[in-house]
Short mmCIF file of all heavy atoms in Angstrom, two decimals:
data_model
loop_
_atom_site.label_atom_id
_atom_site.label_comp_id
_atom_site.label_asym_id
_atom_site.label_seq_id
_atom_site.Cartn_x
_atom_site.Cartn_y
_atom_site.Cartn_z
N MET Z 1 12.35 22.54 3.29
CA MET Z 1 11.03 22.41 2.72
C MET Z 1 10.32 21.17 3.27
O MET Z 1 9.17 21.24 3.65
CB MET Z 1 11.15 22.36 1.20
CG MET Z 1 9.93 21.90 0.50
SD MET Z 1 9.28 23.20 -0.50
CE MET Z 1 7.87 22.43 -1.16
N ILE Z 2 11.02 20.06 3.29
CA ILE Z 2 10.41 18.83 3.77
C ILE Z 2 10.03 18.97 5.24
O ILE Z 2 8.99 18.49 5.68
CB ILE Z 2 11.35 17.63 3.55
CG1 ILE Z 2 11.39 17.32 2.06
CG2 ILE Z 2 10.88 16.42 4.32
CD1 ILE Z 2 12.27 16.18 1.68
N LYS Z 3 10.89 19.66 5.99
CA LYS Z 3 10.60 19.85 7.41
C LYS Z 3 9.28 20.60 7.59
O LYS Z 3 8.47 20.27 8.46
CB LYS Z 3 11.74 20.60 8.08
CG LYS Z 3 11.65 20.66 9.57
CD LYS Z 3 12.89 21.31 10.14
CE LYS Z 3 12.88 21.32 11.64
NZ LYS Z 3 14.10 21.89 12.21
N GLU Z 4 9.05 21.60 6.75
CA GLU Z 4 7.81 22.37 6.82
C GLU Z 4 6.61 21.50 6.48
O GLU Z 4 5.57 21.58 7.15
CB GLU Z 4 7.88 23.57 5.88
CG GLU Z 4 8.90 24.61 6.30
CD GLU Z 4 9.09 25.68 5.23
OE1 GLU Z 4 8.29 25.75 4.28
OE2 GLU Z 4 10.05 26.43 5.37
N ILE Z 5 6.76 20.69 5.45
CA ILE Z 5 5.67 19.79 5.05
C ILE Z 5 5.37 18.81 6.18
O ILE Z 5 4.21 18.57 6.53
CB ILE Z 5 6.03 19.03 3.76
CG1 ILE Z 5 6.13 19.99 2.58
CG2 ILE Z 5 5.00 17.93 3.48
CD1 ILE Z 5 6.72 19.37 1.33
N ALA Z 6 6.43 18.27 6.77
CA ALA Z 6 6.26 17.31 7.86
C ALA Z 6 5.55 17.97 9.04
O ALA Z 6 4.65 17.38 9.63
CB ALA Z 6 7.62 16.76 8.28
N TRP Z 7 5.99 19.16 9.38
CA TRP Z 7 5.39 19.85 10.53
C TRP Z 7 3.92 20.17 10.26
O TRP Z 7 3.06 19.95 11.11
CB TRP Z 7 6.18 21.11 10.84
CG TRP Z 7 5.63 21.82 12.04
CD1 TRP Z 7 5.05 23.05 12.05
CD2 TRP Z 7 5.59 21.36 13.39
NE1 TRP Z 7 4.65 23.39 13.32
CE2 TRP Z 7 4.97 22.36 14.16
CE3 TRP Z 7 6.00 20.20 14.01
CZ2 TRP Z 7 4.76 22.22 15.53
CZ3 TRP Z 7 5.80 20.06 15.38
CH2 TRP Z 7 5.18 21.07 16.12
N ASP Z 8 3.62 20.67 9.06
CA ASP Z 8 2.23 20.98 8.72
C ASP Z 8 1.36 19.73 8.74
O ASP Z 8 0.23 19.76 9.22
CB ASP Z 8 2.15 21.66 7.35
CG ASP Z 8 2.68 23.08 7.37
OD1 ASP Z 8 2.77 23.67 8.47
OD2 ASP Z 8 3.02 23.60 6.29
N THR Z 9 1.89 18.64 8.22
CA THR Z 9 1.14 17.39 8.21
C THR Z 9 0.87 16.92 9.62
O THR Z 9 -0.24 16.49 9.95
CB THR Z 9 1.91 16.30 7.43
OG1 THR Z 9 2.16 16.77 6.10
CG2 THR Z 9 1.13 15.00 7.36
N PHE Z 10 1.90 17.01 10.47
CA PHE Z 10 1.72 16.62 11.87
C PHE Z 10 0.66 17.48 12.55
O PHE Z 10 -0.20 16.97 13.27
CB PHE Z 10 3.04 16.72 12.63
CG PHE Z 10 2.89 16.54 14.11
CD1 PHE Z 10 2.54 15.32 14.64
CD2 PHE Z 10 3.09 17.61 14.97
CE1 PHE Z 10 2.39 15.15 16.00
CE2 PHE Z 10 2.95 17.45 16.33
CZ PHE Z 10 2.60 16.22 16.86
N LYS Z 11 0.72 18.80 12.30
CA LYS Z 11 -0.27 19.69 12.92
C LYS Z 11 -1.69 19.35 12.46
O LYS Z 11 -2.63 19.41 13.24
CB LYS Z 11 0.04 21.15 12.59
CG LYS Z 11 1.25 21.69 13.32
CD LYS Z 11 1.38 23.19 13.18
CE LYS Z 11 1.58 23.60 11.76
NZ LYS Z 11 1.83 25.03 11.57
N ASN Z 12 -1.83 19.00 11.18
CA ASN Z 12 -3.16 18.71 10.63
C ASN Z 12 -3.69 17.34 11.03
O ASN Z 12 -4.88 17.16 11.21
CB ASN Z 12 -3.14 18.83 9.11
CG ASN Z 12 -2.96 20.26 8.67
OD1 ASN Z 12 -3.33 21.19 9.36
ND2 ASN Z 12 -2.34 20.44 7.51
N THR Z 13 -2.79 16.36 11.13
CA THR Z 13 -3.24 14.99 11.38
C THR Z 13 -3.02 14.54 12.81
O THR Z 13 -3.71 13.64 13.29
CB THR Z 13 -2.51 13.99 10.46
OG1 THR Z 13 -1.12 14.00 10.78
CG2 THR Z 13 -2.72 14.33 9.00
N GLY Z 14 -2.03 15.13 13.47
CA GLY Z 14 -1.68 14.69 14.81
C GLY Z 14 -0.92 13.37 14.82
O GLY Z 14 -0.67 12.78 15.86
N ASP Z 15 -0.54 12.90 13.64
CA ASP Z 15 0.15 11.61 13.51
C ASP Z 15 1.67 11.83 13.53
O ASP Z 15 2.25 12.30 12.56
CB ASP Z 15 -0.27 10.93 12.22
CG ASP Z 15 0.31 9.54 12.07
OD1 ASP Z 15 0.97 9.05 13.02
OD2 ASP Z 15 0.11 8.93 11.01
N ILE Z 16 2.29 11.49 14.63
CA ILE Z 16 3.73 11.69 14.78
C ILE Z 16 4.51 10.81 13.81
O ILE Z 16 5.60 11.18 13.37
CB ILE Z 16 4.19 11.44 16.25
CG1 ILE Z 16 5.64 11.89 16.44
CG2 ILE Z 16 4.02 9.98 16.62
CD1 ILE Z 16 5.83 13.37 16.35
N ASN Z 17 3.96 9.67 13.43
CA ASN Z 17 4.66 8.79 12.49
C ASN Z 17 4.87 9.45 11.14
O ASN Z 17 5.90 9.27 10.50
CB ASN Z 17 3.91 7.46 12.33
CG ASN Z 17 3.97 6.64 13.59
OD1 ASN Z 17 4.99 6.59 14.26
ND2 ASN Z 17 2.86 6.01 13.94
N THR Z 18 3.90 10.23 10.71
CA THR Z 18 4.03 10.94 9.45
C THR Z 18 5.18 11.94 9.53
O THR Z 18 6.01 12.02 8.62
CB THR Z 18 2.72 11.69 9.11
OG1 THR Z 18 1.66 10.75 9.06
CG2 THR Z 18 2.83 12.39 7.78
N PHE Z 19 5.25 12.65 10.63
CA PHE Z 19 6.33 13.61 10.83
C PHE Z 19 7.68 12.89 10.82
O PHE Z 19 8.62 13.33 10.16
CB PHE Z 19 6.14 14.35 12.15
CG PHE Z 19 7.25 15.30 12.48
CD1 PHE Z 19 7.35 16.52 11.83
CD2 PHE Z 19 8.21 14.97 13.42
CE1 PHE Z 19 8.38 17.40 12.12
CE2 PHE Z 19 9.24 15.85 13.72
CZ PHE Z 19 9.32 17.06 13.06
N LEU Z 20 7.76 11.78 11.52
CA LEU Z 20 9.02 11.04 11.59
C LEU Z 20 9.43 10.48 10.23
O LEU Z 20 10.62 10.45 9.89
CB LEU Z 20 8.92 9.91 12.62
CG LEU Z 20 8.75 10.38 14.07
CD1 LEU Z 20 8.51 9.19 14.97
CD2 LEU Z 20 9.93 11.20 14.53
N GLU Z 21 8.46 10.05 9.43
CA GLU Z 21 8.76 9.55 8.09
C GLU Z 21 9.33 10.67 7.21
O GLU Z 21 10.30 10.46 6.48
CB GLU Z 21 7.52 8.96 7.46
CG GLU Z 21 7.13 7.62 8.06
CD GLU Z 21 5.82 7.09 7.53
OE1 GLU Z 21 5.30 7.63 6.53
OE2 GLU Z 21 5.31 6.13 8.13
N TYR Z 22 8.74 11.84 7.28
CA TYR Z 22 9.28 12.97 6.52
C TYR Z 22 10.69 13.33 6.98
O TYR Z 22 11.55 13.66 6.19
CB TYR Z 22 8.36 14.19 6.63
CG TYR Z 22 7.22 14.18 5.66
CD1 TYR Z 22 5.90 14.07 6.09
CD2 TYR Z 22 7.45 14.30 4.29
CE1 TYR Z 22 4.85 14.08 5.20
CE2 TYR Z 22 6.40 14.29 3.39
CZ TYR Z 22 5.10 14.18 3.85
OH TYR Z 22 4.06 14.19 2.97
N LYS Z 23 10.92 13.25 8.29
CA LYS Z 23 12.26 13.54 8.81
C LYS Z 23 13.27 12.52 8.28
O LYS Z 23 14.40 12.87 7.96
CB LYS Z 23 12.26 13.53 10.34
CG LYS Z 23 11.60 14.73 10.96
CD LYS Z 23 12.31 16.02 10.60
CE LYS Z 23 13.65 16.07 11.31
NZ LYS Z 23 14.46 17.22 10.91
N LYS Z 24 12.87 11.27 8.16
CA LYS Z 24 13.76 10.24 7.60
C LYS Z 24 14.10 10.58 6.15
O LYS Z 24 15.24 10.42 5.72
CB LYS Z 24 13.11 8.86 7.67
CG LYS Z 24 13.09 8.28 9.06
CD LYS Z 24 12.46 6.91 9.04
CE LYS Z 24 12.31 6.35 10.45
NZ LYS Z 24 11.63 5.04 10.44
N ILE Z 25 13.11 11.03 5.41
CA ILE Z 25 13.34 11.41 4.01
C ILE Z 25 14.33 12.56 3.95
O ILE Z 25 15.25 12.57 3.13
CB ILE Z 25 12.02 11.78 3.31
CG1 ILE Z 25 11.14 10.54 3.16
CG2 ILE Z 25 12.28 12.43 1.96
CD1 ILE Z 25 9.74 10.83 2.72
N GLU Z 26 14.16 13.53 4.83
CA GLU Z 26 15.07 14.67 4.87
C GLU Z 26 16.50 14.20 5.17
O GLU Z 26 17.45 14.65 4.53
CB GLU Z 26 14.61 15.66 5.93
CG GLU Z 26 15.43 16.92 5.99
CD GLU Z 26 14.90 17.89 7.04
OE1 GLU Z 26 14.73 17.48 8.20
OE2 GLU Z 26 14.65 19.04 6.67
N ASP Z 27 16.64 13.28 6.11
CA ASP Z 27 17.96 12.75 6.45
C ASP Z 27 18.57 12.00 5.27
O ASP Z 27 19.78 12.11 5.01
CB ASP Z 27 17.89 11.85 7.67
CG ASP Z 27 17.56 12.60 8.94
OD1 ASP Z 27 17.73 13.85 8.97
OD2 ASP Z 27 17.13 11.95 9.92
N LEU Z 28 17.75 11.24 4.55
CA LEU Z 28 18.24 10.53 3.38
C LEU Z 28 18.73 11.50 2.31
O LEU Z 28 19.77 11.28 1.68
CB LEU Z 28 17.14 9.63 2.79
CG LEU Z 28 16.78 8.39 3.59
CD1 LEU Z 28 15.54 7.73 3.02
CD2 LEU Z 28 17.95 7.42 3.60
N GLU Z 29 17.99 12.57 2.09
CA GLU Z 29 18.41 13.58 1.12
C GLU Z 29 19.75 14.19 1.50
O GLU Z 29 20.61 14.39 0.65
CB GLU Z 29 17.36 14.67 0.98
CG GLU Z 29 16.13 14.25 0.23
CD GLU Z 29 15.12 15.37 0.10
OE1 GLU Z 29 15.13 16.31 0.91
OE2 GLU Z 29 14.31 15.29 -0.84
N LYS Z 30 19.93 14.48 2.78
CA LYS Z 30 21.20 15.04 3.24
C LYS Z 30 22.33 14.05 2.99
O LYS Z 30 23.42 14.43 2.57
CB LYS Z 30 21.13 15.39 4.73
CG LYS Z 30 20.30 16.61 5.03
CD LYS Z 30 20.25 16.88 6.52
CE LYS Z 30 19.34 18.03 6.86
NZ LYS Z 30 19.23 18.23 8.32
N GLY Z 31 22.08 12.77 3.26
CA GLY Z 31 23.08 11.74 3.04
C GLY Z 31 23.46 11.62 1.58
O GLY Z 31 24.63 11.47 1.23
N ILE Z 32 22.47 11.69 0.72
CA ILE Z 32 22.72 11.61 -0.72
C ILE Z 32 23.56 12.79 -1.19
O ILE Z 32 24.50 12.63 -1.95
CB ILE Z 32 21.39 11.53 -1.51
CG1 ILE Z 32 20.73 10.18 -1.25
CG2 ILE Z 32 21.62 11.76 -3.00
CD1 ILE Z 32 19.31 10.08 -1.74
N LYS Z 33 23.23 13.98 -0.72
CA LYS Z 33 24.00 15.17 -1.08
C LYS Z 33 25.44 15.04 -0.61
O LYS Z 33 26.37 15.40 -1.34
CB LYS Z 33 23.36 16.42 -0.49
CG LYS Z 33 22.07 16.82 -1.18
CD LYS Z 33 21.45 18.04 -0.54
CE LYS Z 33 20.12 18.37 -1.18
NZ LYS Z 33 19.46 19.51 -0.53
N GLU Z 34 25.63 14.52 0.59
CA GLU Z 34 26.99 14.34 1.12
C GLU Z 34 27.76 13.32 0.28
O GLU Z 34 28.94 13.51 0.00
CB GLU Z 34 26.92 13.90 2.58
CG GLU Z 34 28.26 13.87 3.27
CD GLU Z 34 28.91 15.23 3.38
OE1 GLU Z 34 28.21 16.25 3.47
OE2 GLU Z 34 30.15 15.28 3.37
N MET Z 35 27.10 12.24 -0.11
CA MET Z 35 27.75 11.23 -0.94
C MET Z 35 28.15 11.81 -2.29
O MET Z 35 29.21 11.50 -2.82
CB MET Z 35 26.83 10.02 -1.13
CG MET Z 35 26.68 9.18 0.12
SD MET Z 35 25.46 7.87 -0.02
CE MET Z 35 26.11 6.92 -1.36
N LYS Z 36 27.30 12.67 -2.85
CA LYS Z 36 27.62 13.30 -4.13
C LYS Z 36 28.86 14.18 -3.99
O LYS Z 36 29.72 14.19 -4.86
CB LYS Z 36 26.45 14.13 -4.64
CG LYS Z 36 25.34 13.32 -5.22
CD LYS Z 36 24.24 14.21 -5.76
CE LYS Z 36 23.13 13.43 -6.39
NZ LYS Z 36 22.08 14.31 -6.93
N LYS Z 37 28.96 14.92 -2.88
CA LYS Z 37 30.12 15.77 -2.65
C LYS Z 37 31.39 14.93 -2.58
O LYS Z 37 32.40 15.25 -3.19
CB LYS Z 37 29.97 16.57 -1.35
CG LYS Z 37 28.99 17.70 -1.43
CD LYS Z 37 28.92 18.40 -0.08
CE LYS Z 37 27.81 19.43 -0.05
NZ LYS Z 37 27.70 20.04 1.29
N ILE Z 38 31.33 13.85 -1.82
CA ILE Z 38 32.49 12.98 -1.66
C ILE Z 38 32.88 12.37 -3.00
O ILE Z 38 34.06 12.33 -3.36
CB ILE Z 38 32.19 11.87 -0.62
CG1 ILE Z 38 32.06 12.48 0.77
CG2 ILE Z 38 33.25 10.79 -0.65
CD1 ILE Z 38 31.52 11.55 1.82
N THR Z 39 31.89 11.93 -3.76
CA THR Z 39 32.16 11.33 -5.06
C THR Z 39 32.80 12.35 -6.00
O THR Z 39 33.76 12.04 -6.70
CB THR Z 39 30.86 10.79 -5.68
OG1 THR Z 39 30.29 9.84 -4.78
CG2 THR Z 39 31.12 10.12 -7.00
N ASN Z 40 32.28 13.57 -6.01
CA ASN Z 40 32.85 14.60 -6.88
C ASN Z 40 34.28 14.92 -6.48
O ASN Z 40 35.13 15.12 -7.34
CB ASN Z 40 32.00 15.87 -6.85
CG ASN Z 40 30.71 15.71 -7.62
OD1 ASN Z 40 30.62 14.86 -8.51
ND2 ASN Z 40 29.72 16.50 -7.29
N ILE Z 41 34.57 14.97 -5.19
CA ILE Z 41 35.93 15.24 -4.74
C ILE Z 41 36.85 14.12 -5.19
O ILE Z 41 37.95 14.36 -5.69
CB ILE Z 41 35.97 15.40 -3.19
CG1 ILE Z 41 35.29 16.70 -2.80
CG2 ILE Z 41 37.40 15.36 -2.68
CD1 ILE Z 41 35.06 16.85 -1.30
N ASN Z 42 36.40 12.87 -5.05
CA ASN Z 42 37.21 11.73 -5.47
C ASN Z 42 37.45 11.74 -6.97
O ASN Z 42 38.54 11.45 -7.44
CB ASN Z 42 36.57 10.41 -5.04
CG ASN Z 42 36.64 10.19 -3.55
OD1 ASN Z 42 37.49 10.77 -2.87
ND2 ASN Z 42 35.76 9.38 -3.02
N ILE Z 43 36.44 12.08 -7.75
CA ILE Z 43 36.58 12.14 -9.20
C ILE Z 43 37.56 13.24 -9.59
O ILE Z 43 38.41 13.04 -10.46
CB ILE Z 43 35.20 12.34 -9.88
CG1 ILE Z 43 34.37 11.07 -9.75
CG2 ILE Z 43 35.37 12.72 -11.34
CD1 ILE Z 43 32.94 11.21 -10.19
N GLU Z 44 37.46 14.38 -8.94
CA GLU Z 44 38.39 15.47 -9.22
C GLU Z 44 39.81 15.06 -8.90
O GLU Z 44 40.74 15.38 -9.65
CB GLU Z 44 38.00 16.71 -8.42
CG GLU Z 44 36.73 17.38 -8.91
CD GLU Z 44 36.25 18.50 -7.98
OE1 GLU Z 44 36.94 18.79 -6.99
OE2 GLU Z 44 35.18 19.05 -8.25
N ASN Z 45 40.02 14.35 -7.82
CA ASN Z 45 41.36 13.89 -7.45
C ASN Z 45 41.90 12.90 -8.47
O ASN Z 45 43.09 12.95 -8.82
CB ASN Z 45 41.37 13.28 -6.05
CG ASN Z 45 41.20 14.31 -4.96
OD1 ASN Z 45 41.48 15.49 -5.17
ND2 ASN Z 45 40.76 13.88 -3.80
N VAL Z 46 41.06 12.01 -8.95
CA VAL Z 46 41.48 11.05 -9.97
C VAL Z 46 41.86 11.79 -11.24
O VAL Z 46 42.89 11.51 -11.86
CB VAL Z 46 40.36 10.01 -10.25
CG1 VAL Z 46 40.67 9.20 -11.49
CG2 VAL Z 46 40.17 9.11 -9.04
N ASP Z 47 41.05 12.77 -11.64
CA ASP Z 47 41.35 13.55 -12.83
C ASP Z 47 42.69 14.25 -12.70
O ASP Z 47 43.49 14.29 -13.64
CB ASP Z 47 40.25 14.57 -13.12
CG ASP Z 47 38.96 13.94 -13.62
OD1 ASP Z 47 39.00 12.76 -14.08
OD2 ASP Z 47 37.91 14.61 -13.56
N LYS Z 48 42.97 14.83 -11.53
CA LYS Z 48 44.25 15.51 -11.31
C LYS Z 48 45.40 14.54 -11.42
O LYS Z 48 46.44 14.83 -12.01
CB LYS Z 48 44.26 16.19 -9.93
CG LYS Z 48 43.40 17.41 -9.87
CD LYS Z 48 43.41 18.01 -8.46
CE LYS Z 48 42.44 19.16 -8.32
NZ LYS Z 48 42.37 19.66 -6.94
N ASN Z 49 45.24 13.37 -10.83
CA ASN Z 49 46.30 12.36 -10.87
C ASN Z 49 46.56 11.87 -12.29
O ASN Z 49 47.70 11.64 -12.67
CB ASN Z 49 45.98 11.19 -9.95
CG ASN Z 49 46.04 11.55 -8.49
OD1 ASN Z 49 46.75 12.48 -8.10
ND2 ASN Z 49 45.31 10.83 -7.67
N ILE Z 50 45.51 11.73 -13.05
CA ILE Z 50 45.68 11.27 -14.44
C ILE Z 50 46.41 12.31 -15.26
O ILE Z 50 47.29 11.98 -16.05
CB ILE Z 50 44.30 10.92 -15.06
CG1 ILE Z 50 43.75 9.65 -14.42
CG2 ILE Z 50 44.40 10.76 -16.57
CD1 ILE Z 50 42.35 9.30 -14.82
N THR Z 51 46.05 13.57 -15.09
CA THR Z 51 46.71 14.62 -15.88
C THR Z 51 48.17 14.80 -15.49
O THR Z 51 48.97 15.28 -16.29
CB THR Z 51 45.97 15.97 -15.73
OG1 THR Z 51 45.91 16.33 -14.36
CG2 THR Z 51 44.58 15.89 -16.32
N GLN Z 52 48.53 14.41 -14.27
CA GLN Z 52 49.91 14.53 -13.83
C GLN Z 52 50.78 13.43 -14.41
O GLN Z 52 51.99 13.52 -14.43
CB GLN Z 52 50.00 14.50 -12.29
CG GLN Z 52 49.43 15.74 -11.66
CD GLN Z 52 49.42 15.65 -10.14
OE1 GLN Z 52 49.76 14.61 -9.58
NE2 GLN Z 52 49.04 16.73 -9.49
N LEU Z 53 50.15 12.36 -14.90
CA LEU Z 53 50.93 11.25 -15.47
C LEU Z 53 51.45 11.65 -16.78
O LEU Z 53 52.06 11.88 -17.50
CB LEU Z 53 50.06 9.99 -15.62
CG LEU Z 53 49.57 9.39 -14.32
CD1 LEU Z 53 48.62 8.24 -14.64
CD2 LEU Z 53 50.74 8.86 -13.49
#
């Protein structure tokens, strides 16, 4: 979705910086999602280890 917004904004304004800023936001969102996955996996592992005690 963000990629589409960025592309449309670039087409309308011709400002490449706007497109690049939206792309940075998209990359940040991907990073946050990846961090959440890693955190959830770690929490699940801790829970398993605790229940095994």
